[in-house]
Each structure stands twice: as structure tokens, then as C-alpha cells.
């Protein structure tokens, strides 16, 4: 309707407006118009939320959905049941963006109980049921839309997310983990903000509680409790090896807690010292708006020494305690505004929150080209490849290709890269490329021009595979352009040694709702509908492989629907797949060679569904053992 560029802008504008209005109504509900103005000035011109909703990652949208849910929970004084239904619906949208929102929202429950402790048991039950009903209704709508989009009603919309969560909780999150000392050393000091907000709101509430009305006092205590629990949980996850504090885009989930704390402190300041508060309010609104547009002409960074921030916090606390009834709330409020301004506008490791914002003139065209290029890539691949997981991408690792890396990440990034993360990448043929020939039936070769593409094709000739170019397209843009060719690969069976034996097909057992049937010259496998789910397993014959060190298992099969993954594992760690191979749809038999992990404890053959669009089907013809040549 609006076109890609205008539609993207209007979507972000709608999301930011929703967040600003939700924050405005919460602040106005408890502390009045002036507090609400200061709140939305801070929210809109500190590039914490705005940076997150300006790019294509989902964290900013998830945060806004949750802020809308909080507004429908905290603001209405009448007709609370329908408001809670809407809150539950919005919460479902937030959780659908990221399962972490279950924790973010759940940590607000103690604050809600505190703020509603006097309403009685039955009203509390009605409100709880209302938010649950809205949550279920939201997910029901999402499930219907998902089924219409994918053409299948047999896949739960969160199946892949639950599988990913299990993998991350199983230890994979450590891949993004950095120790706190390392985070401090590189200057990524944003983790200080929830601590600052937590201490500030506790101090402000404790020193000024007698000046507040009961409802305002309950809100301040609730806000203090929420940011305390949120900060504790996040640091607890960090010390358990979770990468939350290591990833700048995850810390936007701390914003709702910090926002409620800011509203509480600003509200206390407006009550205690209205004249000083008006000065802070006008200064914040005018100053942050002016800074937003003047930032490009100012010095780029300040020193990233943590001692500067500790000193700033200490000075703020000292000023707050000079005359607690007069200075505490204004000093703490001013300290938080100054801290977040410095953190998001000048900190070297956080400045990406502002400096790469697509509204800046020097980044606007680049961001637009990268977004449009990613959409172009997705549409082109979808047109020519039957299953998105059937394709791998190969391109140069040269520094100037960092934006190709971003566009390719639409396809689960590392899961679909042909080359490794180190080394030159295309056109060099290394072990990662040779292995990918057997894992992906299609390769998307991405280059800057036809000459670079020809060099890649020349290099592919050294791989034992037959490849055919099935489609080529050119993405042309003012800043970032590329050419992509999709190549279909037919691996040539590698030379192997003497045949050792054969695995009987019928000991293969279905798993997780998969099915096995009799087929002509083999067995028919039907994988369960959820992506990455194991559909069948078989314990490999120990009499054939016991005592041998170098064995190739050759699986011959025909995939008729979806995408089948084949790998080995051990019975004591069935989730750790070894030598995985992905097999896509082809009308002919395909041969897959897998090197067995010998010696191993009870090696197991695993078949899993890799299609995101429902079930996968294949006919397995034979499974044979050979000595490695």
C-alpha cells in the first residue's frame, strides 16, 4: 500500500508512537502531565528504544508490545477486565517476538500484587483470567495467521522457538558470553544503567514516601521492586553463563523497568519540588530534542573508563543526601538523565545505538540498501529453492562484505554459511566448503560482479560434485549492490574402501510423532511437523564397527517432501549431533556419506526434520558400512 520504504518508516513511527503514548498515559495516571512530558522526551530522544525499533531485529518491537501491555494493566481505573484482555493480547505478541518476555513480564507479577493487594480475591482472579484469556486469544490469532502463511496447521508457531530455547539453555548461549571483566575492558558499560536506576528509585522512594499519596507510593514501591528483580535476574543469568549483558540489543529489555523507575523518581520530584522539577522537565525536553539533531557535529566519544561512571553516580548520591527532602528526587532524576544521555550518545561501545541509526544522513542510504537487499535475497531464494534450509551461501569474508553478511543472516546466519568465519572465504575451497557440498543441495554464490562470480565457479570445479547454475539475479542499489547465482549441487560419491556390512532398515524407530512404513525397495520415513525435531533413530550395529577406527556410513535415500537432516550421535549425549548432513527434495536417489565417530559409546543414527513448513518425507533405500579409503 505504502511501498517498501514508506511502509517501513510508517511502521516504525506507529511503533514509537505506541510506546510513547503508553509511557505518557502511565506517567500521567500517577503523577500528572508534566511528568508524562518528561517521560516521553526521555523515551523518544534517548536512542535506546529508537535504535532498537529502527532496525530489523525484533527486540524493540517486543519491548513496545510489553509497554503497551503495562499501560493497559496500570492505567485503567474502570473497565479493567477488557483492558486486561487487551494487555494479555499485547503480551502474546511480545512473547511471540522473544520467549525472554515471559521472564520480563513474570518479574512484574510481585509488583502487580503489591499495587493491587487491596482489591480483593475475586477481582484479582477476574483480572488474572482476563489477561490469560487475552494471551490465549493473541496466540490463537498468531497460530491462524501462521497456518495461512505456511499452508500447514500441524505446526505450533513456537515449536522452533522452544527447540532453540532448549539448545540455548543446554549451553549454546555461552557462545555469546563475555565475562564482566571483559565487558568492562572493552567499554560496553550499558550494564551499569539498571543498577543506577535501581539504586535511585529505592533511595527516592525511601526518602520521600511520606510526601506521596497512597496510590503514588504503591506505584513507586512497585517500580522499585520490579527494577530490583529485573536487575537481579539479568545479572543472575549472566553469572550462570548467559550472554544477555554481552549483547547490546538484548539490554533493551531492561528499558521497561528503567522507564517505570524514571516515572517514579520524576513523579516524586514533581511532588516535592515542583519549581525545580519544571526546570528539569523543560531542560530535558528542549535539551534532548536539540541534542538529537546536533549530535553529529559534536565530539564522537568520551573515555570509556568505568571510574567516570562510578564517580558520576557517587556525586549524584551525595547531592541527593545533602537535604533529602529537597534535593534527593531532583538530583537523582537529573543524574539518571545525564547518565543515559552520556551513555547512549558518547560511549564508544554503546554509540552504535545512535551512530548506526538509519535516520543519520550518512547511514540512511546504506541502511535502506541493506534492508532492500535482504528482502530481494529472500524473495529470489524463495522463488528458486523449494525449502529455505536447503541452501547455503558462499561469499568472500573480505571486510567490505560485512553488509553481505548482514543480508545473508536472514537465513539463520551461521547455519547457512558455506565458508567459515575465519579465512578469506570465497573463492578459496577449504574443508568447510567441501563439507557443505554434502550438506546443502543448493549453494547461493554471492559476489560483487560477474568476474568475481566466474572465479567462484572456477574454484567449484575442484570439488567432487556436479553443479548446475539454475538462476542468477542482480541487486543494484546506490550504495550496496551484489549479484547472486543459485547453484544446484549433485555430489559425486567419494571413493571409499571395502564394504563392511549393512544396517537392517527395520530397527529404525520413529520418534516424536514420526512414522515409518514399508515402501518398495526400502522404508518410508515421515518426519514430525516441527522443524529440527528428531523423527527416527537407529542404534548402529556394533558387530560391524567394533574395534574399527575409520568407517564411512553410506545412506541412500530419496527425499520427496521437505528437508531431511541425517547425523550421528551417542546415546549418552543424543542432542550433540556429529557430522550433520542436510538432504533436500530430488526425484532421484541421493547418496550421503557420513564419517562415523569411532570409537564412540553406542553410536546412533538420527533422522530429523529440517523443513520450517511442516512434515518431511523420504524413502531410505539402504544404509551400508565401508572402510574409509
Amino acid at each position: 500500500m505504502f511501498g517498501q520504504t514508506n511502509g517501513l518508516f510508517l511502521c516504525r513511527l506507529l511503533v514509537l508512537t505506541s510506546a510513547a503514548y503508553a509511557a505518557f498515559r502511565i506517567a500521567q495516571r500517577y503523577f500528572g502531565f508534566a511528568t508524562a512530558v518528561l517521560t516521553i522526551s526521555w523515551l523518544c530522544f534517548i536512542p535506546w528504544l529508537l535504535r532498537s525499533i529502527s532496525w530489523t531485529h525484533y527486540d524493540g518491537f517486543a519491548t513496545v508490545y510489553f509497554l503497551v501491555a503495562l499501560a493497559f494493566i496500570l492505567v485503567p481505573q474502570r473497565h479493567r477486565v477488557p483492558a486486561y484482555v487487551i494487555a494479555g493480547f499485547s503480551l502474546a505478541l511480545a512473547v511471540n517476538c522473544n520467549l525472554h518476555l515471559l521472564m520480563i513480564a513474570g518479574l512484574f507479577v510481585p509488583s502487580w500484587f503489591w499495587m493491587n493487594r487491596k482489591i480483593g480475591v475475586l477481582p484479582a482472579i477476574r483480572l488474572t483470567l482476563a489477561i490469560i484469556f487475552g494471551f490465549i486469544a493473541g496466540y490463537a490469532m498468531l497460530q491462524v495467521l501462521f497456518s495461512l502463511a505456511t499452508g500447514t496447521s500441524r505446526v505450533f508457531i513456537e515449536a522452533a522457538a522452544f527447540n532453540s530455547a532448549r539448545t540455548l539453555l543446554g549451553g549454546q548461549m555461552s557462545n555469546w558470553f563475555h565475562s564482566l571483566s571483559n565487558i568492562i575492558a572493552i567499554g560496553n558499560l550499558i550494564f551499569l544503567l539498571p543498577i543506577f536506576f535501581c539504586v535511585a528509585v529505592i533511595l527516592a522512594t525511601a526518602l520521600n514516601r511520606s510526601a506521596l499519596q497512597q496510590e503514588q507510593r504503591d506505584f513507586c514501591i512497585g517500580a522499585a521492586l520490579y527494577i530490583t528483580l529485573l536487575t537481579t535476574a539479568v545479572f543472575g543469568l549472566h553469572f550462570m553463563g548467559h550472554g544477555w549483558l554481552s549483547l547490546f540489543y538484548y539490554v533493551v529489555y531492561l528499558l521497561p523497568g528503567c522507564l517505570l523507575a524514571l516515572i517514579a523518581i520524576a513523579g516524586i520530584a514533581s511532588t516535592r519540588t515542583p519549581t525545580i522539577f519544571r526546570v528539569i522537565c523543560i531542560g530535558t525536553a528542549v535539551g534532548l530534542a536539540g541534542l538529537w539533531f546536533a549530535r553529529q557535529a559534536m565530539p564522537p566519544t568520551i573515555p570509556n573508563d568505568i571510574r567516570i561512571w562510578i564517580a558520576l553516580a557517587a556525586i549524584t548520591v551525595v547531592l541527593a543526601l545533602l537535604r533529602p527532602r529537597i534535593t534527593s528526587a531532583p538530583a537523582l532524576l537529573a543524574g539518571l538523565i545525564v547518565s543515559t544521555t552520556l551513555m547512549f550518545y558518547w560511549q564508544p561501545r554503546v554509540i552504535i545505538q545512535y551512530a548506526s541509526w538509519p535516520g543519520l544522513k550518512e547511514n540512511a542510504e546504506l541502511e535502506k540498501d541493506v534492508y532492500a537487499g535482504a528482502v530481494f535475497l529472500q524473495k529470489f531464494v524463495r522463488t528458486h529453492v523449494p525449502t529455505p534450509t536447503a541452501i547455503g551461501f558462499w561469499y568472500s569474508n573480505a571486510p567490505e562484505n560485512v553488509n553481505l553478511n548482514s543480508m545473508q543472516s536472514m537465513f539463520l546466519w551461521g547455519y547457512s554459511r558455506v565458508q567459515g568465519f575465519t579465512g578469506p572465504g570465497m573463492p578459496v575451497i577449504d574443508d568447510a566448503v567441501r563439507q557443505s557440498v554434502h550438506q546443502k543441495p543448493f549453494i547461493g554464490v554471492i559476489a560483487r560482479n560477474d568476474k568475481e562470480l566466474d572465479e567462484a565457479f572456477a574454484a567449484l570445479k575442484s570439488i567432487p560434485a556436479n553443479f548446475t547454475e539454475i538462476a542468477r539475479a542482480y541487486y543494484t542499489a546506490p550504495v550496496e549492490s551484489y549479484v547472486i547465482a543459485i547453484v544446484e549441487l549433485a555430489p559425486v560419491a567419494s571413493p571409499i574402501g571395502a564394504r563392511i556390512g549393512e544396517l537392517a532398515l527395520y530397527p529404525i524407530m520413529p520418534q516424536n510423532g514420526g512414522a515409518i512404513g514399508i515402501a518398495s525397495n526400502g522404508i518410508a520415513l515421515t518426519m514430525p511437523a516441527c522443524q529440527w525435531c528428531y523423527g527416527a533413530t537407529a542404534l548402529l550395529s556394533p558387530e560391524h564397527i567394533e574395534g574399527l577406527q575409520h568407517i564411512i556410513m553410506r545412506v541412500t535415500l530419496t527425499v520427496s517432501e521437505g528437508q531431511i537432516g541425517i547425523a550421528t550421535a551417542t546415546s549418552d549425549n543424543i542432542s550433540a549431533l556429529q557430522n550433520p548432513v542436510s538432504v533436500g527434495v530430488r526425484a532421484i536417489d541421493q547418496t550421503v556419506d557420513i564419517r562415523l565417530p569411532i570409537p564412540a559409546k553406542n553410536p546412533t543414527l538420527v533422522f530429523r526434520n529440517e523443513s520450517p513448513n511442516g512434515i518431511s518425507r523420504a524413502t531410505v533405500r539402504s544404509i551400508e558400512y565401508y572402510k574409509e579409503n
Side-chain angles (χ1 to χ4, degrees), residues 37-167:
V37 170
L38 181 141
T39 300
I40 63 171
S41 299
W42 179 86
L43 182 67
C44 292
F45 290 111
I46 294 292
W48 190 355
L49 177 65
L50 190 54
R51 171 65 184 102
S52 293
I53 64 176
S54 294
W55 73 335
T56 52
H57 218 253
Y58 45 76
D59 304 289
F61 278 62
T63 302
V64 172
Y65 287 136
F66 181 56
L67 287 176
V68 171
L70 281 178
F72 278 100
I73 290 172
L74 293 173
V75 173
Q77 295 174 281
R78 298 185 302 165
H79 309 299
R80 297 185 72 187
V81 169
Y84 271 59
V85 171
I86 298 173
F89 189 92
S90 185
L91 185 59
L93 300 181
V95 173
N96 178 246
C97 292
N98 193 327
L99 292 179
H100 275 119
L101 268 296
L102 287 171
M103 182 192 79
I104 301 296
L107 291 172
F108 185 73
V109 172
S111 297
W112 182 87
F113 274 113
W114 168 259
M115 297 169 67
N116 292 275
R117 66 191 184 279
K118 298 180 179 180
I119 65 172
V121 175
L122 289 180
I125 292 175
R126 280 197 297 269
L127 295 178
T128 302
L129 292 177
I131 201 168
I132 292 173
F133 176 80
F135 187 83
I136 294 173
Y139 257 102
M141 182 202 72
L142 291 170
Q143 185 66 48
V144 170
L145 294 176
F146 176 77
S147 299
L148 292 174
T150 61
T152 177
S153 59
R154 292 173 289 185
V155 181
F156 177 46
I157 189 173
E158 296 292 6
F162 285 143
N163 289 334
S164 297
R166 283 194 293 268
T167 302

Side-chain angles (χ1 to χ4, degrees), residues 356-439:
S356 44
W357 182 61
L360 287 178
K361 186 179 297 184
E362 62 266 28
N363 292 317
E365 289 299 326
L366 174 62
E367 291 283 344
K368 187 186 299 183
D369 289 355
V370 170
Y371 178 80
V375 173
F376 179 89
L377 181 65
Q378 192 271 342
K379 290 180 177 178
F380 179 67
V381 170
R382 187 172 184 178
T383 301
H384 297 284
V385 179
T387 307
T389 53
I391 189 170
F393 295 92
W394 191 33
Y395 50 92
S396 170
N397 283 342
E400 59 268 23
N401 282 344
V402 62
N403 293 313
L404 292 182
N405 188 45
S406 295
M407 289 182 267
Q408 178 264 319
S409 68
M410 287 189 68
F411 293 85
L412 295 180
W413 196 38
Y415 290 97
S416 63
R417 281 172 63 109
V418 168
Q419 77 273 20
F421 289 96
T422 59
M426 191 185 81
V428 174
I429 303 293
D430 55 18
D431 291 340
V433 176
R434 292 188 183 92
Q435 186 177 16
S436 293
V437 169
H438 297 282
Q439 292 179 345

Side-chain angles (χ1 to χ4, degrees), residues 481-625:
S481 303
Y482 64 85
V483 54
I484 177 173
I486 294 180
V487 176
E488 184 173 11
L489 292 164
V492 177
S494 57
I496 51 180
R499 184 176 184 274
I500 301 173
E502 184 174 357
L503 175 68
L505 298 179
Y506 292 104
I508 298 177
M509 300 298 295
Q511 306 291 339
N512 302 315
I516 294 178
I518 299 174
S520 60
N521 194 25
I523 63 169
L525 296 183
T526 301
M527 298 290 102
C530 59
Q531 188 180 21
W532 313 119
C533 285
Y534 292 7
T537 60
L539 188 65
L540 301 181
S541 304
E543 66 271 14
H544 293 143
I545 60 178
E546 187 173 358
L548 298 177
Q549 299 297 314
H550 302 287
I551 299 176
I552 297 293
M553 180 175 60
R554 174 164 290 180
V555 181
T556 302
L557 75 164
T558 303
V559 178
S560 57
E561 182 180 350
Q563 185 86 6
I564 301 286
I566 307 173
T568 59
T570 57
S571 59
D572 57 342
N573 191 7
I574 195 67
S575 63
L577 297 182
Q578 299 172 341
N579 303 317
V581 176
S582 182
V583 187
V585 173
R586 280 184 184 157
I588 59 174
D589 286 351
Q590 300 180 66
T591 299
V592 175
D593 289 341
I594 300 175
R595 181 180 288 106
L596 292 185
I598 305 296
K601 179 181 178 181
N602 298 329
T604 302
L605 177 63
V606 175
F607 295 91
R608 67 174 179 174
N609 181 24
E610 294 190 354
S611 170
N613 299 320
I615 63 175
S616 295
R617 291 187 173 92
T619 300
V620 180
R621 308 297 184 188
S622 64
I623 301 172
E624 301 171 291
Y625 301 118

